[in-house]
Amino acid sequence: MIQRPQRIYLVFFLLLFMGTAALIAFLLGTAYVEKQHQAEVNARNVVAVLEARLEAALRRTQANLEELAQRTPLAALSLAARPQYAATMQQQLALPARHFPEIVGLRLIDAEGNVLYASDRLLPQANVRDRSYFIALSQHPQQSLFFSEVTTGRINRILQLYMAVPIRTPQGAFAGIAMAPLDIGYFQQLFDAVDLGPHGVITFRRSDDGRLVLRHPARPGTVNQTLHNNPMQQRVEAGEQQGVIRFHAAIDHVERVYAFKRVGEFPFYVAAGIASDDFLAQWHTTLLGTVVVSLLCLLLLAWLLQRLRRSEERRLHASGELQASEDRFLQLFNSVGEGICGMDGQGRYLFSNPAARQLLGHADEATLREQDLPGLIHARQADGRPLPATDCLIRQAVRQGQSVHEADDVFTRADGSLLAVRYDAYPLLKDGKNVGTVLLFQDIGERKRQQQQIAFLAHHDALTGLPNRILAEDRFCQLAGLAQRHEERLAMLFLDLDGFKTINDSLGHDVGDEMLQAVAQRLQSLLREHDTACRLGGDEFLLLLPGIRGMGGVEGLALLIGRLLHGLEQPFLLQNHQLSTSASIGVALYPDDGEDFTTLMKKADTAMYHAKDAGRNTYRLFDERMNVEAQQVLRLRSHFMAALEAGQFVLHYQPQVRLADGQVLGVEALVRWQDGERLIAPAEFIPMAESSGLIVPLGEWVLHEACRQAVQWQQEHDRPLCVAVNISAVQFKRGNLEHTVAEALAHSGLPPQLLELELTETTLLHQTEAVLHTLSRLSELGVRLAIDDFGTGYSSLAYLKRLSVNKLKIDQSFIRHLTEDADDGNIVCAIIEMARKMQLQTLAEGVESQQIADLLRQMGCEQAQGYHFARPLTAAQLHAYLLAQRAGRQS
């Protein structure tokens, strides 16, 4: 029964709690209203900023389109006039387009729906007759501006909103459209920059039918959808310019506070919604905290009352609680995973926990009781030798009452085995006096094994287990010292697998890793005991072979390398595959080729690449000529772009004559590098340019310069002269060849039919749809295509059917001995006959005598070029050559 003082305390606490609860409820209600008001203000501010940005973007785009529609000449709005106006109109469109980030580009469309000009495409190929903006503007003369639905562009293939204005004749007739595709991605970035909380939303819709233009965050399948029974859309349709409303969205059923505003005079409005859960999140947290605190107060009050009632009972149960505490301590002592042992002042065993007995291998305490514990468990050193009693730190801690912290050592288990441990020893105190020592220890055997594994991985390859570069360099230093003392040579082999990338790409990296492991095992089986095999990474291995003495040692090295190459040729039987490979090996010798690891490895790497160039599956010994060649290629590469910018590249031109009458029909442009007084031939720098990708900017310069020079010749000699330009396969892969050719023709004014692109059969050997598409587009431009060095490739003749090829250039290897070798004659006749039936022109390269020229003319070959007619000439020399030929014909 509750006594009177307790009842007074109870009433006081209840009144205090109720008053506090009423005050908290009032404050929470006020905070709720304030949060909703702040959300409305934030939504209005966001909408105001977005509306200003959107209205400004649409207004300046409209103004630009209207200005474009007024100043566009009506004569340019036809397909027939496009070649004349293409370059000029593109420049006029590109200039304003680059100042408007919200548009993809500017377009001019004729009355038939053909896209004639575009700011980002020289000759666009598209028709928009079926687009909504074309239908509306062409059928409704009174409409001056139209916005389409959101759709994918036919030129740029991205989501766009078309904004279009009509172009009309002075009489008001429909003449075309000026159109700007608005980049939805630009508006998406604008919306992405706004943070309305985790469930906030921004929408950009049509004000007439509620169609969705853009939503942040995006929701698949909602673009262009109209709204039905939407409260906000109903208010917009009723004529409200802006407002605030709160409702549950039909799309995701989330309640939000929405602010909306029309975008200027345009048929759009923007809305921003802040979810109630977001702006009330802090309020909910406060509410939850208040409830929790209230409950805690109630619990505290109940606890106080309960304590008043049971204070006497708790005193009676104090001894029981003490016993329970001891039980808990004993439970903790027995369950801890760390070994704990107690010893008295003489080191005799007092107690232990189960973990200690398990670690030391004792089933119970009987064998430990009254034993000298330090002498029993700490009796041996780490290597197994007996530990002198004077060196036992545990015994010292027991005698001196000191502590030992985190000492690594070994303990002896019951069966005599050693246990790696880390232990601590603390004085055992009672009433302030030292009565013994407590020993705590744990098994660190697994940690030691992990440390050893880490040390192994630091110097070995994780995949194959072979030494890595760090260990390889260390062993090189050791072997080099031995070689120097014994007056021997040390061979370093740089080994690279041939075609390993194909295995990785076709079968996957798992099979590739399994293959590398098999190669490592085979290398170790093929090497001598004192040889070292290392993996540098990827499919590259480094071998160190000591003990090379004189020429006999080099011959023995050659035999060992031959055994390695032969061994690697044998098939590898993997789990699910049988694979074959080979290797290219570069060899450098210590101390002949270098005395340090880095120098030797670089030279062995250089020799390996020469082995690759020699056909692979072979080896090459390093010599200084390789280094000179590598430095020369590096010098050319480092000076290449500077030479191109400085105008050091020049073009020479070799005439191409008609065999029937000797008239020059065209020239082949051949590039040279004028490096000061030295004229560098293409054979020295073209391979480097192709391997490094620098052939792309060089090819662009050659096209522009050749087209410019060809136009100058037309003006000087008043007759057409075709110019042929060689195209590298790299330009198809890395360069925008179609755009480069169109730009060169547009800038020079050269008719497309006077430009001939020469392609090698290598380019067509790995023909892809991209290559075929590019060649088809070039053919549509009117550019002529020729196959250079025809007959030397290994590709199928199928490409002659698929491509619009105009000419076959017969390789000079068949022409040089035409009068002496009957087989060459038969091959040339077959090529000419095939070309005649396929209605292709033929041109023979490398004609060096009148006899060969006459024989080719008899065979039916139409054109030829070679030293018999003229060597490659500069532009000035070719001009004089053409004048001399014209004078000879007139005489």
Side-chain angles (χ1 to χ4, degrees), residues 1 18 36 41 104 107 247 282 332 336 356 406 503 544 548 599 666 729 742 779 811 817:
M1 185 173 180
M18 291 174 62
Q36 179 168 335
V41 172
V104 177
R107 312 277 189 266
F247 63 96
Q282 185 178 2
L332 176 63
V336 70
E406 295 187 354
I503 296 176
L544 299 175
I548 300 174
T599 300
S779 181
D811 186 68
H817 305 291

Side-chain angles (χ1 to χ4, degrees), residues 576-724:
N576 297 315
H577 302 276
Q578 178 174 328
L579 302 176
S580 297
T581 187
S582 60
S584 299
I585 301 177
V587 184
L589 296 176
Y590 168 88
D592 306 54
D593 301 321
E595 296 185 356
D596 63 273
F597 181 83
T598 303
T599 300
L600 280 174
M601 190 171 73
K602 181 179 70 174
K603 293 184 176 181
D605 187 25
T606 301
M608 184 272 294
Y609 278 106
H610 279 74
K612 290 275 189 186
D613 295 338
R616 305 189 179 192
N617 195 23
T618 185
Y619 73 96
R620 286 292 181 268
L621 291 170
F622 176 82
D623 62 55
E624 196 58 36
R625 287 176 299 174
M626 297 179 182
N627 203 23
V628 173
E629 291 175 5
Q631 292 178 358
Q632 176 68 7
V633 171
L634 182 61
R635 189 190 72 82
L636 289 176
R637 181 170 181 176
S638 62
H639 291 81
F640 189 91
M641 288 306 297
L644 186 60
E645 295 175 359
Q648 293 183 6
F649 288 93
V650 296
L651 291 184
H652 287 189
Y653 305 90
Q654 187 171 35
Q656 298 176 335
V657 303
R658 185 163 53 202
L659 288 174
D661 55 8
Q663 182 179 354
V664 177
L665 299 179
V667 294
E668 180 180 2
L670 303 169
V671 66
R672 303 287 190 270
W673 185 346
Q674 188 69 52
D675 187 9
E677 297 296 328
R678 179 188 176 204
L679 187 66
I680 305 177
E684 294 187 42
F685 63 86
I686 290 297
M688 177 276 297
E690 288 187 329
S691 64
S692 62
L694 295 174
I695 194 69
V696 174
L698 178 62
E700 293 180 359
W701 176 84
V702 170
L703 272 171
H704 281 266
E705 178 63 16
C707 292
R708 184 197 64 78
Q709 186 61 54
V711 171
Q712 183 176 340
W713 285 327
Q714 314 306 318
Q715 298 170 352
E716 293 173 347
H717 300 281
D718 195 24
R719 67 185 180 90
L721 194 67
C722 182
V723 61

Side-chain angles (χ1 to χ4, degrees), residues 7 38 74 87 93 107 257 320 337 346 359 382 412 473 521 525 543 549 556 558 646 667 711 821 827 867:
R7 286 199 298 268
Q38 186 61 45
L74 297 178
L93 293 176
R107 312 277 189 266
V257 172
Q346 287 72 43
L359 290 174
T412 304
E473 188 168 358
Q521 294 174 3
S525 67
L543 309 180
R549 295 187 175 181
V667 294
V711 171
D821 193 325
I827 292 174
Y867 287 0

Side-chain angles (χ1 to χ4, degrees), residues 462-484:
L463 178 63
T464 62
L466 294 178
N468 59 13
R469 174 170 176 163
I470 298 174
L471 186 55
E473 188 168 358
D474 180 68
R475 291 191 179 178
F476 168 80
C477 294
Q478 300 175 16
L479 294 174
L482 291 174
Q484 188 176 16

